[in-house]
Amino acid sequence: MGILDNVKGAANRGTATAGRAAERLKINTQLSDLERKRKGLAAQLGAALYVATKDDPVFSEGGQRSLYEAIGRCDAERAACQKSWTR
């Protein structure tokens, strides 16, 4: 019975290892999904805050000015592209 017990033990360890690997993959997938969702929500928040504060000099002063200017340039380029597309 010693050999049979060894085989059963090895099979049980293999099954347990596979189960842990599957659980780890499931958790990593869930973490990735949550991170992607969080980035999307943060982008939505940032866009809303930009619209609400872009014309307020208090918010565009200091280190944020370059971000406001870069977003403004992107918006202008996008508008020009859209205009050329609708001609």
Side-chain angles (χ1 to χ4, degrees):
M1 289 269 208
I3 293 174
L4 186 57
D5 289 338
N6 289 343
V7 171
K8 285 181 181 179
N12 287 340
R13 285 190 301 277
T15 301
T17 300
R20 285 191 304 271
E23 184 64 21
R24 191 174 312 128
L25 179 61
K26 179 182 171 185
I27 291 170
N28 284 338
T29 300
Q30 186 178 12
L31 287 170
S32 293
D33 290 345
L34 289 168
E35 183 63 24
R36 191 173 23 262
K37 182 178 180 179
R38 186 188 186 289
K39 285 180 181 180
L41 292 168
Q44 288 176 20
L45 175 61
L49 288 173
Y50 171 76
V51 169
T53 61
K54 69 180 179 162
D55 297 322
D56 189 336
V58 172
F59 288 98
S60 63
E61 291 177 358
Q64 308 308 321
R65 177 173 288 147
S66 63
L67 290 172
Y68 278 88
E69 290 171 352
I71 292 171
R73 286 191 302 273
C74 285
D75 288 347
E77 288 181 42
R78 186 180 61 197
C81 286
Q82 287 174 336
K83 186 176 181 180
S84 70
W85 176 256
T86 58
R87 287 185 191 171

